[in-house]
Amino acid sequence: MTFDFDPTVTISAALSVIAMFVAWFRTRRADLENRLKQGSDQMDDMDRRLVAAEQKIAALPETGELHRLELHLTEISGDMKAMAASMRGQSDMIRTMKDVLSRHEQHLMEEGRK
């Protein structure tokens, strides 16, 4: 059995192999580009989340600010206690004045009946 070289069969077989190789290469490249796009999208999302977290952290008060705030609140609490004590004193004074006033009224009413 002898094999005769037929250029049409050989060229068509070679073109078929080349076409298969090109198709395989393009599908692999498209898959790779798709995976790279997904990775890029994920990195962009992570970057946005990181920037948002950094902004929130930057807006938080520092320990020195919190300490000053705590001191001011303690001072305000002391002032309010002092005001409450002062108001109790004023309330006692008003109660005493009411008693005196009611005695004056009582005295005047008794004098008016005579």
Side-chain angles (χ1 to χ4, degrees), residues 33-80:
E33 287 176 3
N34 189 21
R35 287 176 54 199
L36 287 174
K37 174 83 169 99
Q38 285 178 336
S40 176
D41 291 345
Q42 286 177 347
M43 287 180 64
D44 290 342
D45 183 50
M46 289 295 229
D47 188 42
R48 282 190 294 274
R49 291 173 59 194
L50 179 64
V51 167
E54 286 174 342
Q55 288 174 347
K56 286 180 182 178
I57 289 172
L60 292 175
E62 296 177 358
T63 55
E65 293 171 335
L66 287 176
H67 183 66
R68 283 192 302 274
L69 181 61
E70 183 181 9
L71 291 176
H72 286 294
L73 287 175
T74 303
E75 183 181 332
I76 289 171
S77 175
D79 291 346
M80 289 183 72

mmCIF file of all heavy atoms in Angstrom, residues 33-80:
data_model
loop_
_atom_site.group_PDB
_atom_site.id
_atom_site.type_symbol
_atom_site.label_atom_id
_atom_site.label_comp_id
_atom_site.label_asym_id
_atom_site.label_seq_id
_atom_site.Cartn_x
_atom_site.Cartn_y
_atom_site.Cartn_z
ATOM 1 N N GLU A 33 -10.296 36.148 30.243
ATOM 2 C CA GLU A 33 -10.731 37.541 30.338
ATOM 3 C C GLU A 33 -11.937 37.667 31.255
ATOM 4 O O GLU A 33 -12.032 38.615 32.032
ATOM 5 C CB GLU A 33 -11.051 38.083 28.944
ATOM 6 C CG GLU A 33 -9.815 38.345 28.104
ATOM 7 C CD GLU A 33 -10.156 38.790 26.689
ATOM 8 O OE1 GLU A 33 -11.360 38.950 26.385
ATOM 9 O OE2 GLU A 33 -9.233 38.984 25.903
ATOM 10 N N ASN A 34 -12.844 36.703 31.188
ATOM 11 C CA ASN A 34 -14.021 36.712 32.059
ATOM 12 C C ASN A 34 -13.596 36.589 33.525
ATOM 13 O O ASN A 34 -14.097 37.312 34.390
ATOM 14 C CB ASN A 34 -14.974 35.582 31.667
ATOM 15 C CG ASN A 34 -16.299 35.687 32.390
ATOM 16 O OD1 ASN A 34 -16.666 36.746 32.870
ATOM 17 N ND2 ASN A 34 -17.008 34.583 32.461
ATOM 18 N N ARG A 35 -12.674 35.702 33.805
ATOM 19 C CA ARG A 35 -12.191 35.524 35.177
ATOM 20 C C ARG A 35 -11.450 36.769 35.659
ATOM 21 O O ARG A 35 -11.593 37.175 36.821
ATOM 22 C CB ARG A 35 -11.295 34.302 35.265
ATOM 23 C CG ARG A 35 -12.096 32.999 35.160
ATOM 24 C CD ARG A 35 -11.243 31.767 35.135
ATOM 25 N NE ARG A 35 -10.330 31.704 36.270
ATOM 26 C CZ ARG A 35 -9.252 30.940 36.298
ATOM 27 N NH1 ARG A 35 -8.941 30.186 35.256
ATOM 28 N NH2 ARG A 35 -8.482 30.914 37.356
ATOM 29 N N LEU A 36 -10.674 37.384 34.768
ATOM 30 C CA LEU A 36 -9.977 38.611 35.140
ATOM 31 C C LEU A 36 -10.968 39.741 35.416
ATOM 32 O O LEU A 36 -10.775 40.539 36.341
ATOM 33 C CB LEU A 36 -8.996 39.036 34.047
ATOM 34 C CG LEU A 36 -7.730 38.186 33.931
ATOM 35 C CD1 LEU A 36 -6.917 38.619 32.720
ATOM 36 C CD2 LEU A 36 -6.896 38.299 35.197
ATOM 37 N N LYS A 37 -12.035 39.835 34.633
ATOM 38 C CA LYS A 37 -13.080 40.848 34.842
ATOM 39 C C LYS A 37 -13.752 40.645 36.189
ATOM 40 O O LYS A 37 -13.969 41.604 36.927
ATOM 41 C CB LYS A 37 -14.102 40.768 33.702
ATOM 42 C CG LYS A 37 -15.302 41.663 33.869
ATOM 43 C CD LYS A 37 -15.000 43.061 33.412
ATOM 44 C CE LYS A 37 -16.271 43.878 33.333
ATOM 45 N NZ LYS A 37 -16.483 44.720 34.487
ATOM 46 N N GLN A 38 -14.065 39.389 36.537
ATOM 47 C CA GLN A 38 -14.680 39.108 37.832
ATOM 48 C C GLN A 38 -13.743 39.505 38.974
ATOM 49 O O GLN A 38 -14.166 40.105 39.962
ATOM 50 C CB GLN A 38 -15.034 37.619 37.959
ATOM 51 C CG GLN A 38 -16.241 37.200 37.169
ATOM 52 C CD GLN A 38 -16.498 35.701 37.296
ATOM 53 O OE1 GLN A 38 -15.588 34.934 37.574
ATOM 54 N NE2 GLN A 38 -17.746 35.307 37.097
ATOM 55 N N GLY A 39 -12.483 39.154 38.835
ATOM 56 C CA GLY A 39 -11.500 39.520 39.862
ATOM 57 C C GLY A 39 -11.358 41.026 39.998
ATOM 58 O O GLY A 39 -11.262 41.551 41.108
ATOM 59 N N SER A 40 -11.359 41.722 38.880
ATOM 60 C CA SER A 40 -11.256 43.179 38.900
ATOM 61 C C SER A 40 -12.486 43.800 39.569
ATOM 62 O O SER A 40 -12.364 44.727 40.366
ATOM 63 C CB SER A 40 -11.116 43.708 37.476
ATOM 64 O OG SER A 40 -11.113 45.110 37.467
ATOM 65 N N ASP A 41 -13.676 43.265 39.248
ATOM 66 C CA ASP A 41 -14.906 43.766 39.871
ATOM 67 C C ASP A 41 -14.884 43.538 41.381
ATOM 68 O O ASP A 41 -15.282 44.407 42.159
ATOM 69 C CB ASP A 41 -16.138 43.089 39.266
ATOM 70 C CG ASP A 41 -16.381 43.518 37.825
ATOM 71 O OD1 ASP A 41 -15.794 44.530 37.395
ATOM 72 O OD2 ASP A 41 -17.155 42.822 37.126
ATOM 73 N N GLN A 42 -14.408 42.368 41.793
ATOM 74 C CA GLN A 42 -14.324 42.083 43.226
ATOM 75 C C GLN A 42 -13.336 43.027 43.912
ATOM 76 O O GLN A 42 -13.597 43.507 45.019
ATOM 77 C CB GLN A 42 -13.907 40.635 43.461
ATOM 78 C CG GLN A 42 -15.001 39.622 43.175
ATOM 79 C CD GLN A 42 -14.522 38.192 43.359
ATOM 80 O OE1 GLN A 42 -13.324 37.928 43.470
ATOM 81 N NE2 GLN A 42 -15.458 37.263 43.391
ATOM 82 N N MET A 43 -12.223 43.298 43.274
ATOM 83 C CA MET A 43 -11.243 44.212 43.863
ATOM 84 C C MET A 43 -11.799 45.629 43.945
ATOM 85 O O MET A 43 -11.574 46.328 44.942
ATOM 86 C CB MET A 43 -9.945 44.181 43.063
ATOM 87 C CG MET A 43 -9.149 42.909 43.280
ATOM 88 S SD MET A 43 -7.624 42.842 42.347
ATOM 89 C CE MET A 43 -6.717 44.192 43.047
ATOM 90 N N ASP A 44 -12.548 46.058 42.930
ATOM 91 C CA ASP A 44 -13.175 47.379 42.966
ATOM 92 C C ASP A 44 -14.177 47.467 44.116
ATOM 93 O O ASP A 44 -14.236 48.473 44.829
ATOM 94 C CB ASP A 44 -13.868 47.688 41.640
ATOM 95 C CG ASP A 44 -12.888 47.918 40.498
ATOM 96 O OD1 ASP A 44 -11.695 48.168 40.778
ATOM 97 O OD2 ASP A 44 -13.321 47.836 39.325
ATOM 98 N N ASP A 45 -14.965 46.412 44.295
ATOM 99 C CA ASP A 45 -15.938 46.377 45.390
ATOM 100 C C ASP A 45 -15.229 46.434 46.740
ATOM 101 O O ASP A 45 -15.641 47.167 47.641
ATOM 102 C CB ASP A 45 -16.798 45.117 45.285
ATOM 103 C CG ASP A 45 -17.868 45.060 46.360
ATOM 104 O OD1 ASP A 45 -18.583 46.071 46.524
ATOM 105 O OD2 ASP A 45 -17.977 44.010 47.036
ATOM 106 N N MET A 46 -14.172 45.669 46.887
ATOM 107 C CA MET A 46 -13.410 45.671 48.137
ATOM 108 C C MET A 46 -12.792 47.051 48.386
ATOM 109 O O MET A 46 -12.749 47.522 49.528
ATOM 110 C CB MET A 46 -12.308 44.614 48.109
ATOM 111 C CG MET A 46 -12.836 43.215 48.196
ATOM 112 S SD MET A 46 -13.611 42.958 49.772
ATOM 113 C CE MET A 46 -12.858 41.454 50.234
ATOM 114 N N ASP A 47 -12.325 47.690 47.326
ATOM 115 C CA ASP A 47 -11.742 49.019 47.460
ATOM 116 C C ASP A 47 -12.788 50.022 47.938
ATOM 117 O O ASP A 47 -12.525 50.832 48.833
ATOM 118 C CB ASP A 47 -11.141 49.467 46.124
ATOM 119 C CG ASP A 47 -10.345 50.748 46.251
ATOM 120 O OD1 ASP A 47 -9.592 50.869 47.244
ATOM 121 O OD2 ASP A 47 -10.476 51.620 45.381
ATOM 122 N N ARG A 48 -14.002 49.960 47.364
ATOM 123 C CA ARG A 48 -15.080 50.853 47.797
ATOM 124 C C ARG A 48 -15.426 50.609 49.265
ATOM 125 O O ARG A 48 -15.624 51.550 50.037
ATOM 126 C CB ARG A 48 -16.318 50.655 46.928
ATOM 127 C CG ARG A 48 -16.251 51.327 45.571
ATOM 128 C CD ARG A 48 -17.599 51.300 44.870
ATOM 129 N NE ARG A 48 -18.033 49.960 44.529
ATOM 130 C CZ ARG A 48 -17.705 49.307 43.417
ATOM 131 N NH1 ARG A 48 -16.926 49.898 42.533
ATOM 132 N NH2 ARG A 48 -18.158 48.094 43.177
ATOM 133 N N ARG A 49 -15.508 49.339 49.649
ATOM 134 C CA ARG A 49 -15.829 49.014 51.039
ATOM 135 C C ARG A 49 -14.729 49.489 51.987
ATOM 136 O O ARG A 49 -15.003 49.984 53.081
ATOM 137 C CB ARG A 49 -16.044 47.506 51.185
ATOM 138 C CG ARG A 49 -17.323 47.032 50.486
ATOM 139 C CD ARG A 49 -17.465 45.528 50.478
ATOM 140 N NE ARG A 49 -17.472 44.991 51.834
ATOM 141 C CZ ARG A 49 -17.314 43.708 52.119
ATOM 142 N NH1 ARG A 49 -17.119 42.839 51.153
ATOM 143 N NH2 ARG A 49 -17.335 43.297 53.362
ATOM 144 N N LEU A 50 -13.482 49.354 51.570
ATOM 145 C CA LEU A 50 -12.363 49.792 52.395
ATOM 146 C C LEU A 50 -12.383 51.301 52.576
ATOM 147 O O LEU A 50 -12.183 51.815 53.684
ATOM 148 C CB LEU A 50 -11.034 49.343 51.777
ATOM 149 C CG LEU A 50 -9.770 49.744 52.527
ATOM 150 C CD1 LEU A 50 -9.736 49.093 53.899
ATOM 151 C CD2 LEU A 50 -8.545 49.358 51.730
ATOM 152 N N VAL A 51 -12.652 52.039 51.505
ATOM 153 C CA VAL A 51 -12.710 53.503 51.588
ATOM 154 C C VAL A 51 -13.853 53.916 52.524
ATOM 155 O O VAL A 51 -13.688 54.820 53.359
ATOM 156 C CB VAL A 51 -12.880 54.127 50.180
ATOM 157 C CG1 VAL A 51 -13.263 55.586 50.256
ATOM 158 C CG2 VAL A 51 -11.605 53.950 49.375
ATOM 159 N N ALA A 52 -15.005 53.256 52.410
ATOM 160 C CA ALA A 52 -16.139 53.586 53.287
ATOM 161 C C ALA A 52 -15.791 53.306 54.748
ATOM 162 O O ALA A 52 -16.102 54.113 55.639
ATOM 163 C CB ALA A 52 -17.378 52.788 52.875
ATOM 164 N N ALA A 53 -15.128 52.191 55.018
ATOM 165 C CA ALA A 53 -14.734 51.866 56.391
ATOM 166 C C ALA A 53 -13.718 52.871 56.921
ATOM 167 O O ALA A 53 -13.801 53.304 58.075
ATOM 168 C CB ALA A 53 -14.165 50.450 56.450
ATOM 169 N N GLU A 54 -12.766 53.270 56.089
ATOM 170 C CA GLU A 54 -11.775 54.262 56.513
ATOM 171 C C GLU A 54 -12.434 55.596 56.835
ATOM 172 O O GLU A 54 -12.062 56.275 57.794
ATOM 173 C CB GLU A 54 -10.716 54.452 55.428
ATOM 174 C CG GLU A 54 -9.737 53.307 55.315
ATOM 175 C CD GLU A 54 -8.783 53.451 54.148
ATOM 176 O OE1 GLU A 54 -9.076 54.250 53.224
ATOM 177 O OE2 GLU A 54 -7.751 52.759 54.143
ATOM 178 N N GLN A 55 -13.430 55.991 56.040
ATOM 179 C CA GLN A 55 -14.123 57.250 56.296
ATOM 180 C C GLN A 55 -14.895 57.189 57.606
ATOM 181 O O GLN A 55 -14.910 58.152 58.379
ATOM 182 C CB GLN A 55 -15.072 57.584 55.144
ATOM 183 C CG GLN A 55 -14.353 58.019 53.893
ATOM 184 C CD GLN A 55 -15.283 58.215 52.719
ATOM 185 O OE1 GLN A 55 -16.446 57.801 52.746
ATOM 186 N NE2 GLN A 55 -14.783 58.838 51.654
ATOM 187 N N LYS A 56 -15.534 56.050 57.872
ATOM 188 C CA LYS A 56 -16.273 55.911 59.128
ATOM 189 C C LYS A 56 -15.325 55.941 60.319
ATOM 190 O O LYS A 56 -15.612 56.560 61.341
ATOM 191 C CB LYS A 56 -17.072 54.607 59.141
ATOM 192 C CG LYS A 56 -18.290 54.648 58.257
ATOM 193 C CD LYS A 56 -19.046 53.338 58.292
ATOM 194 C CE LYS A 56 -20.247 53.386 57.367
ATOM 195 N NZ LYS A 56 -20.967 52.106 57.342
ATOM 196 N N ILE A 57 -14.194 55.285 60.195
ATOM 197 C CA ILE A 57 -13.219 55.266 61.285
ATOM 198 C C ILE A 57 -12.642 56.662 61.501
ATOM 199 O O ILE A 57 -12.437 57.096 62.628
ATOM 200 C CB ILE A 57 -12.116 54.230 61.006
ATOM 201 C CG1 ILE A 57 -12.686 52.816 61.143
ATOM 202 C CG2 ILE A 57 -10.926 54.422 61.924
ATOM 203 C CD1 ILE A 57 -11.746 51.720 60.705
ATOM 204 N N ALA A 58 -12.399 57.388 60.413
ATOM 205 C CA ALA A 58 -11.850 58.739 60.536
ATOM 206 C C ALA A 58 -12.834 59.677 61.221
ATOM 207 O O ALA A 58 -12.431 60.628 61.894
ATOM 208 C CB ALA A 58 -11.475 59.282 59.157
ATOM 209 N N ALA A 59 -14.140 59.419 61.079
ATOM 210 C CA ALA A 59 -15.154 60.282 61.677
ATOM 211 C C ALA A 59 -15.376 59.978 63.159
ATOM 212 O O ALA A 59 -15.987 60.779 63.861
ATOM 213 C CB ALA A 59 -16.471 60.134 60.919
ATOM 214 N N LEU A 60 -14.880 58.850 63.643
ATOM 215 C CA LEU A 60 -15.062 58.504 65.053
ATOM 216 C C LEU A 60 -14.208 59.406 65.938
ATOM 217 O O LEU A 60 -13.118 59.821 65.548
ATOM 218 C CB LEU A 60 -14.673 57.041 65.292
ATOM 219 C CG LEU A 60 -15.570 55.984 64.671
ATOM 220 C CD1 LEU A 60 -14.977 54.598 64.903
ATOM 221 C CD2 LEU A 60 -16.966 56.056 65.248
ATOM 222 N N PRO A 61 -14.702 59.709 67.144
ATOM 223 C CA PRO A 61 -13.894 60.551 68.038
ATOM 224 C C PRO A 61 -12.692 59.782 68.570
ATOM 225 O O PRO A 61 -12.731 58.568 68.730
ATOM 226 C CB PRO A 61 -14.871 60.899 69.177
ATOM 227 C CG PRO A 61 -15.907 59.839 69.139
ATOM 228 C CD PRO A 61 -15.996 59.377 67.715
ATOM 229 N N GLU A 62 -11.644 60.533 68.847
ATOM 230 C CA GLU A 62 -10.425 59.931 69.383
ATOM 231 C C GLU A 62 -10.551 59.804 70.896
ATOM 232 O O GLU A 62 -11.461 60.364 71.507
ATOM 233 C CB GLU A 62 -9.220 60.786 69.003
ATOM 234 C CG GLU A 62 -8.975 60.838 67.514
ATOM 235 C CD GLU A 62 -7.819 61.739 67.146
ATOM 236 O OE1 GLU A 62 -7.231 62.363 68.052
ATOM 237 O OE2 GLU A 62 -7.518 61.827 65.945
ATOM 238 N N THR A 63 -9.624 59.100 71.515
ATOM 239 C CA THR A 63 -9.702 58.863 72.958
ATOM 240 C C THR A 63 -9.613 60.163 73.752
ATOM 241 O O THR A 63 -10.286 60.317 74.765
ATOM 242 C CB THR A 63 -8.594 57.896 73.409
ATOM 243 O OG1 THR A 63 -7.323 58.398 72.992
ATOM 244 C CG2 THR A 63 -8.794 56.521 72.811
ATOM 245 N N GLY A 64 -8.789 61.104 73.302
ATOM 246 C CA GLY A 64 -8.682 62.393 73.988
ATOM 247 C C GLY A 64 -10.001 63.145 73.970
ATOM 248 O O GLY A 64 -10.412 63.741 74.977
ATOM 249 N N GLU A 65 -10.661 63.124 72.833
ATOM 250 C CA GLU A 65 -11.963 63.792 72.723
ATOM 251 C C GLU A 65 -12.980 63.131 73.627
ATOM 252 O O GLU A 65 -13.788 63.803 74.275
ATOM 253 C CB GLU A 65 -12.440 63.768 71.268
ATOM 254 C CG GLU A 65 -11.600 64.608 70.339
ATOM 255 C CD GLU A 65 -11.970 64.395 68.880
ATOM 256 O OE1 GLU A 65 -12.494 63.313 68.557
ATOM 257 O OE2 GLU A 65 -11.723 65.305 68.083
ATOM 258 N N LEU A 66 -12.980 61.800 73.668
ATOM 259 C CA LEU A 66 -13.915 61.086 74.543
ATOM 260 C C LEU A 66 -13.632 61.399 76.010
ATOM 261 O O LEU A 66 -14.564 61.549 76.815
ATOM 262 C CB LEU A 66 -13.822 59.576 74.298
ATOM 263 C CG LEU A 66 -14.437 59.071 72.997
ATOM 264 C CD1 LEU A 66 -14.188 57.580 72.829
ATOM 265 C CD2 LEU A 66 -15.924 59.347 72.973
ATOM 266 N N HIS A 67 -12.369 61.515 76.370
ATOM 267 C CA HIS A 67 -12.024 61.827 77.751
ATOM 268 C C HIS A 67 -12.506 63.227 78.127
ATOM 269 O O HIS A 67 -13.065 63.438 79.214
ATOM 270 C CB HIS A 67 -10.508 61.708 77.957
ATOM 271 C CG HIS A 67 -10.078 61.944 79.358
ATOM 272 N ND1 HIS A 67 -10.421 61.114 80.403
ATOM 273 C CD2 HIS A 67 -9.341 62.949 79.907
ATOM 274 C CE1 HIS A 67 -9.917 61.586 81.521
ATOM 275 N NE2 HIS A 67 -9.256 62.698 81.247
ATOM 276 N N ARG A 68 -12.287 64.190 77.223
ATOM 277 C CA ARG A 68 -12.769 65.554 77.485
ATOM 278 C C ARG A 68 -14.287 65.566 77.620
ATOM 279 O O ARG A 68 -14.839 66.257 78.482
ATOM 280 C CB ARG A 68 -12.316 66.501 76.377
ATOM 281 C CG ARG A 68 -10.851 66.898 76.493
ATOM 282 C CD ARG A 68 -10.507 68.056 75.563
ATOM 283 N NE ARG A 68 -10.781 67.785 74.160
ATOM 284 C CZ ARG A 68 -9.946 67.170 73.322
ATOM 285 N NH1 ARG A 68 -8.777 66.743 73.768
ATOM 286 N NH2 ARG A 68 -10.271 66.991 72.064
ATOM 287 N N LEU A 69 -14.969 64.831 76.772
ATOM 288 C CA LEU A 69 -16.422 64.748 76.843
ATOM 289 C C LEU A 69 -16.870 64.152 78.176
ATOM 290 O O LEU A 69 -17.814 64.641 78.806
ATOM 291 C CB LEU A 69 -16.950 63.901 75.671
ATOM 292 C CG LEU A 69 -18.454 63.730 75.577
ATOM 293 C CD1 LEU A 69 -19.129 65.084 75.399
ATOM 294 C CD2 LEU A 69 -18.804 62.800 74.437
ATOM 295 N N GLU A 70 -16.174 63.123 78.623
ATOM 296 C CA GLU A 70 -16.496 62.501 79.911
ATOM 297 C C GLU A 70 -16.302 63.503 81.054
ATOM 298 O O GLU A 70 -17.129 63.587 81.971
ATOM 299 C CB GLU A 70 -15.609 61.273 80.119
ATOM 300 C CG GLU A 70 -15.901 60.512 81.393
ATOM 301 C CD GLU A 70 -14.988 59.315 81.558
ATOM 302 O OE1 GLU A 70 -14.024 59.160 80.783
ATOM 303 O OE2 GLU A 70 -15.244 58.541 82.489
ATOM 304 N N LEU A 71 -15.225 64.279 80.995
ATOM 305 C CA LEU A 71 -14.986 65.289 82.033
ATOM 306 C C LEU A 71 -16.077 66.354 82.043
ATOM 307 O O LEU A 71 -16.562 66.762 83.103
ATOM 308 C CB LEU A 71 -13.612 65.935 81.839
ATOM 309 C CG LEU A 71 -12.406 65.040 82.116
ATOM 310 C CD1 LEU A 71 -11.110 65.785 81.780
ATOM 311 C CD2 LEU A 71 -12.389 64.585 83.561
ATOM 312 N N HIS A 72 -16.483 66.791 80.872
ATOM 313 C CA HIS A 72 -17.540 67.803 80.788
ATOM 314 C C HIS A 72 -18.862 67.252 81.310
ATOM 315 O O HIS A 72 -19.603 67.963 82.001
ATOM 316 C CB HIS A 72 -17.706 68.305 79.349
ATOM 317 C CG HIS A 72 -16.613 69.219 78.901
ATOM 318 N ND1 HIS A 72 -16.403 70.464 79.440
ATOM 319 C CD2 HIS A 72 -15.646 69.057 77.960
ATOM 320 C CE1 HIS A 72 -15.364 71.042 78.858
ATOM 321 N NE2 HIS A 72 -14.881 70.198 77.955
ATOM 322 N N LEU A 73 -19.158 66.002 80.983
ATOM 323 C CA LEU A 73 -20.399 65.402 81.487
ATOM 324 C C LEU A 73 -20.365 65.270 83.008
ATOM 325 O O LEU A 73 -21.380 65.485 83.678
ATOM 326 C CB LEU A 73 -20.632 64.036 80.840
ATOM 327 C CG LEU A 73 -21.064 64.076 79.378
ATOM 328 C CD1 LEU A 73 -21.135 62.661 78.810
ATOM 329 C CD2 LEU A 73 -22.403 64.763 79.236
ATOM 330 N N THR A 74 -19.215 64.950 83.561
ATOM 331 C CA THR A 74 -19.078 64.872 85.012
ATOM 332 C C THR A 74 -19.293 66.244 85.634
ATOM 333 O O THR A 74 -19.976 66.383 86.661
ATOM 334 C CB THR A 74 -17.684 64.326 85.383
ATOM 335 O OG1 THR A 74 -17.502 63.060 84.756
ATOM 336 C CG2 THR A 74 -17.526 64.174 86.872
ATOM 337 N N GLU A 75 -18.736 67.268 85.005
ATOM 338 C CA GLU A 75 -18.919 68.638 85.489
ATOM 339 C C GLU A 75 -20.384 69.050 85.437
ATOM 340 O O GLU A 75 -20.916 69.644 86.392
ATOM 341 C CB GLU A 75 -18.064 69.588 84.642
ATOM 342 C CG GLU A 75 -18.102 71.031 85.085
ATOM 343 C CD GLU A 75 -17.253 71.905 84.188
ATOM 344 O OE1 GLU A 75 -16.277 71.415 83.597
ATOM 345 O OE2 GLU A 75 -17.577 73.105 84.078
ATOM 346 N N ILE A 76 -21.053 68.726 84.350
ATOM 347 C CA ILE A 76 -22.473 69.051 84.207
ATOM 348 C C ILE A 76 -23.293 68.316 85.261
ATOM 349 O O ILE A 76 -24.225 68.876 85.852
ATOM 350 C CB ILE A 76 -22.961 68.717 82.782
ATOM 351 C CG1 ILE A 76 -22.366 69.710 81.789
ATOM 352 C CG2 ILE A 76 -24.483 68.740 82.704
ATOM 353 C CD1 ILE A 76 -22.613 69.348 80.342
ATOM 354 N N SER A 77 -22.947 67.075 85.515
ATOM 355 C CA SER A 77 -23.657 66.302 86.535
ATOM 356 C C SER A 77 -23.517 66.956 87.904
ATOM 357 O O SER A 77 -24.487 67.059 88.665
ATOM 358 C CB SER A 77 -23.110 64.876 86.558
ATOM 359 O OG SER A 77 -23.689 64.134 87.605
ATOM 360 N N GLY A 78 -22.312 67.418 88.240
ATOM 361 C CA GLY A 78 -22.102 68.123 89.509
ATOM 362 C C GLY A 78 -22.902 69.405 89.585
ATOM 363 O O GLY A 78 -23.496 69.728 90.623
ATOM 364 N N ASP A 79 -22.922 70.163 88.477
ATOM 365 C CA ASP A 79 -23.702 71.402 88.440
ATOM 366 C C ASP A 79 -25.185 71.121 88.649
ATOM 367 O O ASP A 79 -25.873 71.865 89.356
ATOM 368 C CB ASP A 79 -23.494 72.131 87.113
ATOM 369 C CG ASP A 79 -22.104 72.706 86.960
ATOM 370 O OD1 ASP A 79 -21.375 72.771 87.975
ATOM 371 O OD2 ASP A 79 -21.740 73.065 85.814
ATOM 372 N N MET A 80 -25.686 70.048 88.063
ATOM 373 C CA MET A 80 -27.106 69.709 88.203
ATOM 374 C C MET A 80 -27.426 69.302 89.641
ATOM 375 O O MET A 80 -28.501 69.628 90.162
ATOM 376 C CB MET A 80 -27.496 68.613 87.220
ATOM 377 C CG MET A 80 -27.513 69.111 85.789
ATOM 378 S SD MET A 80 -28.048 67.877 84.616
ATOM 379 C CE MET A 80 -29.773 67.788 85.003
#
